[in-house]
Amino acid sequence: MMDRLDRSAEDFALPDPERVDPAVLTALLARHGWQRRGGAHGRYTRWTPPGDAGTSLLVPAPQNNNGRHADYADLLGEALTALARSGAPSAREVLTALSVPGDEIRWIRDMPRIADAVPWPAAGQLRSAARAMLMAAARAERGPAGYFGERHGRFATAFLEQVLVGPSPGGHLLTAYAPAPDGRAVVTTLLRALQATRDAVDYQRTTGGMEAFDAAVGLGVCHELTESLVRLIRGAEGVAVALAWSPASGPPAGFAARPEPVEFSPGDLPALEAASVRYVSEEPSVHVRVTGTVVRLRRPRPSGGGTIRLRVLAGADVRQVRVRLDEDAYRIAAHAHLVGLPVRVTGRLEARSGFRRITQPSAVTPVHVDEAERDRLLKSLQGGIETFEDACGG
């Protein structure tokens, strides 16, 4: 079975022939370079792997209005078994795509190898860069921004939990499968963003201007995407990201049936690094009104202000934020923590901290609860009742 993106796949079971669409199988064979070599019209087609005319497999023709022919399931089962036993490198990839239907994303790094082996760090570098790229695309799908920091982290992580990774032959190639059509919005965002990045890099290398990177933000280009490309390119002679749509779902509207791979080279690094810095420096802070539970309190002395950490429930697309409060506000937050009440705070979510800190806080108040619960919570407090009660009343 396939593993998640942060683990390697070791083995998988053959797909159930009853659930395999011959049209999808033949589309995958053609995608991976297999050649059609005739067959019997209306019954089956014969396919041979790239560069090997000595072996072949028979794929039954798709069903028609007259239903299946007698040996339909047998032929399909034999074709899948032949694929599993084939020595062609693409055979397992075809089986994987059948077992894990979805849009295929492939990262290819051209780098020096010894007998198809790469240095140990290269494999980890490829995997971490691919993960960062998918996270960036998922964040951008929620709405464009030059720099996300911690924003939309929960959504991106949830998307990544649905992505499966294929068997990796080394540190130069990685294939992942995103759910289709459910996860297609992220994949199309990724393709648009990569194409826009390629255009922006070409513009910068030709004119020296960075204006194209500013315009590309609306297409999903961001600090996180450019950083993932920098990580992918560094140490390689060239990289490419190729997308192939799920044959079962077909290409999305407005996109080519077979998108061209998007390629980058070490010569693109200066433009990408400059864009990465530019996105961070120009992304503004955001005015927010956050509701969250207090999960940490810290102040250097028994009295005075301190810092709290909130687990965000609403108001910002981040998991946690830190807030520096004065003495009265800190006391309110501390009492809310003791009785299990969330608090609400207004301020600016700072870009410079990765959108993990609220500055200029004001109106720190416990969230509203019904009167009976409010009385019970207030009676349970020890000290500081007046300040807390005033905040609740407000």
Side-chain angles (χ1 to χ4, degrees), residues 39 78 80 85 91 124-125 162 166 172 178 194 226 228 230 232 281 334 381:
E78 290 171 3
L80 297 176
R85 294 174 178 173
Q125 186 177 2
Q162 305 173 64
H172 63 282
L194 288 171
T226 54
S228 71
V230 168
L232 195 65
S281 63
L381 297 176

Side-chain angles (χ1 to χ4, degrees), residues 63-86:
Q63 302 175 59
N64 52 37
N65 293 333
N66 297 325
R68 301 178 177 181
H69 43 80
D71 58 351
Y72 175 91
D74 291 340
L75 279 177
L76 202 49
E78 290 171 3
L80 297 176
T81 302
L83 269 176
R85 294 174 178 173
S86 172

Side-chain angles (χ1 to χ4, degrees), residues 235-258:
E237 297 175 355
V239 302
V241 184
L243 278 78
W245 310 117
S246 164
S249 300
F255 288 85
R258 295 185 177 181

Side-chain angles (χ1 to χ4, degrees), residues 331-381:
R331 184 179 295 118
I332 293 170
H335 288 310
H337 172 69
L338 289 172
V339 298
L341 273 181
V343 297
R344 184 175 292 121
V345 57
T346 301
R348 297 201 65 80
L349 193 59
E350 282 292 322
R352 287 177 297 177
S353 63
F355 297 100
R356 292 186 292 262
R357 181 177 63 190
I358 293 178
T359 60
Q360 305 172 24
S362 62
V364 179
T365 59
V367 298
H368 176 74
V369 292
D370 60 60
E371 289 297 322
E373 183 70 4
R374 174 175 175 273
D375 290 342
R376 188 190 69 79
L377 293 173
L378 288 175
K379 290 176 182 177
S380 69
L381 297 176

